[in-house]
Amino acid sequence: MHTDHAQRLPEAASDAAPEGVSLPPQDALLDDAGTGEDTVELAPPRHRLPQIALPDNVVLKGAVQKLVEQKSRLDRLAAEGQLAGLLPPEWQGNGLRAIDLPSFVQGVLPFLHTGERGETAPARLPVRHVLGDDSRWGVDDVAEPKSLAWYLAADERATAGSKDVAEAWLVGALGLAWMQEGRSRPGFLRAMDQDSMAARVTMLGYPPPGELALYNVTAHGQAQIWCVYGRRKVRPLVAPWLSVPLLTAYGVAAPGAWPASFPPVEAVAEAIAAARPGRLVPEVDLGKVVAKIAEDTASEAWQPVSLLQLNTWSPRWTFFLGTFVGLPSLLLVAAALALPGAIEAATVAASLGFAGGAIAALAVPWIHARRKHLS
């Protein structure tokens, strides 16, 4: 695998080597080759591309490196089939033993909007700050790992249109990157003791720590941690054991109690449950939750209404036939008996009386109902 990427050194320039000094053959400079019992090490290549600047925060750097290590361990466990049913279902990759990298990042970093991208430029990334996918292949799957490591770490991998180009997204505020193309490289290069790798890097923004807040809540009988952005948007943390250490190292305050000025936890939890189907990471607007609470409260108020305003009533057909057929007939007979010489006038009077009563029964607000039952 990847053995065609090994770069061979040029032939010795001269046969006239100083007496008593012998140069090793060219094959001795490749992987797993040497002269006698010693192995000849090649000098590390020099890189021209600049390395990205990391935040001046030692705690944050440690948290990012720990997250990268945890993701690497999760990849190895997933490859062995030991994480079935233990991770959020949103992280399920294409294979049964893979973790979807974009879903993992979205789950760990709340309110990360990848649609708002900055410029893209070639740069070098410290491999200990780069997330990848270590479940595909590793050092043991490569015939000449040292040569491949130098090839994959070379500046040329950041040149647009070049062979085996690498592409990554970088959250500059956190100093955390993840691969879009070449996802197996970070773990392989870390195993080969490479410090950095070249890639075409796209910058992404992230909310400042003062705009984020973490809260401990109990929703549907389960303890959860919610993240609030700008005191308005809410997202539940699907993996707080990964997110909270990173966010607190970034400067976000430790999780606290849900503020009394916010909508009730139960109402927010219902909104999250309603928004979850079809959403990778459900997000709820607290302003809309407050508006819905006010609407539901108003819908419980009683007011006088007519039958025409109700949307939940159904007629009783026996009563309907008895009233709209039997009663007019009875009125007509009574009018005919009372006015034997004016049957037509009696009929008109009975019909008008019936019609007026029916209209009044339907249109006059003579009953009380809740607003939520109105059409």
Side-chain angles (χ1 to χ4, degrees):
M1 182 176 183
H2 299 286
T3 55
D4 58 327
H5 297 322
Q7 295 181 333
R8 297 177 177 270
L9 297 180
E11 299 289 346
S14 173
D15 294 332
E19 189 173 338
V21 178
S22 60
L23 296 177
Q26 175 176 310
D27 291 341
L29 301 180
L30 298 178
D31 296 271
D32 304 326
T35 57
E37 297 181 356
D38 299 328
T39 301
V40 177
E41 298 288 346
L42 293 178
R46 296 180 178 179
H47 304 299
R48 300 180 304 276
L49 289 178
Q51 183 162 302
I52 63 153
L54 297 176
D56 188 16
N57 185 332
V58 177
V59 178
L60 179 58
K61 291 178 183 178
V64 169
Q65 294 173 8
K66 183 177 180 180
L67 175 64
V68 172
E69 294 172 359
Q70 289 174 316
K71 173 61 166 61
S72 180
R73 288 196 293 268
L74 290 175
D75 286 335
R76 291 193 294 268
L77 293 174
E80 298 171 0
Q82 300 184 24
L83 296 179
L86 299 179
L87 295 178
E90 298 87 355
W91 293 2
Q92 181 65 52
N94 294 329
L96 296 178
R97 298 183 175 182
I99 298 176
D100 184 69
L101 183 56
S103 300
F104 175 85
V105 175
Q106 288 284 352
V108 173
L109 297 180
F111 302 106
L112 174 67
H113 300 292
T114 57
E116 302 173 2
R117 305 173 192 171
E119 61 179 5
T120 300
R124 298 198 65 83
L125 297 169
V127 293
R128 296 182 65 189
H129 287 248
V130 184
L131 294 169
D133 185 355
D134 292 352
S135 65
R136 300 181 180 182
W137 57 271
V139 176
D140 296 336
D141 303 310
V142 181
E144 297 180 356
K146 188 186 303 179
S147 302
L148 180 60
W150 289 345
Y151 173 82
L152 295 179
D155 287 346
E156 288 72 21
R157 304 291 78 77
T159 302
S162 66
K163 186 177 181 181
D164 299 317
V165 64
E167 297 180 358
W169 286 355
L170 170 67
V171 180
L174 298 174
L176 175 64
W178 65 96
M179 301 303 297
Q180 294 296 110
E181 294 290 338
R183 295 180 179 178
S184 298
R185 299 181 190 183
F188 171 74
L189 293 176
R190 284 193 296 270
M192 293 302 298
D193 295 326
Q194 292 286 335
D195 295 329
S196 63
M197 61 177 292
R200 295 187 58 78
V201 181
T202 299
M203 297 294 296
L204 297 176
Y206 198 65
E211 291 292 320
L212 300 174
L214 301 174
Y215 298 105
N216 292 309
V217 300
T218 301
H220 305 299
Q222 295 182 347
Q224 302 179 18
I225 296 182
W226 291 351
C227 183
V228 178
Y229 172 42
R231 297 183 60 84
R232 188 175 182 91
K233 301 295 184 64
V234 179
R235 283 190 182 183
L237 298 183
V238 297
W241 51 284
L242 294 174
S243 301
V244 172
L246 181 62
L247 293 175
T248 53
Y250 178 48
V252 181
W258 187 253
S261 59
F262 284 1
V265 172
E266 295 77 11
V268 180
E270 291 179 1
I272 292 175
R276 187 177 296 276
R279 296 283 299 276
L280 179 63
V281 182
E283 180 176 310
V284 170
D285 190 325
L286 292 179
K288 294 182 179 180
V289 174
V290 172
K292 186 177 185 305
I293 292 175
E295 180 182 352
D296 292 342
T297 301
S299 67
E300 295 294 330
W302 292 87
Q303 68 180 56
V305 296
S306 67
L307 290 175
L308 294 177
Q309 293 178 281
L310 296 178
N311 61 358
T312 57
W313 72 290
S314 59
R316 296 168 55 191
W317 293 109
T318 303
F319 176 79
F320 175 82
L321 293 176
T323 302
F324 284 77
V325 176
L327 184 59
S329 301
L330 180 61
L331 291 175
L332 180 59
V333 172
L337 294 176
L339 302 172
I343 187 63
E344 294 182 357
T347 302
V348 172
S351 299
L352 291 176
F354 167 72
I359 294 175
L362 292 175
V364 174
W366 58 278
I367 59 176
H368 282 75
R370 297 185 188 274
R371 287 187 178 181
K372 63 182 179 181
H373 295 149
L374 305 183
S375 59

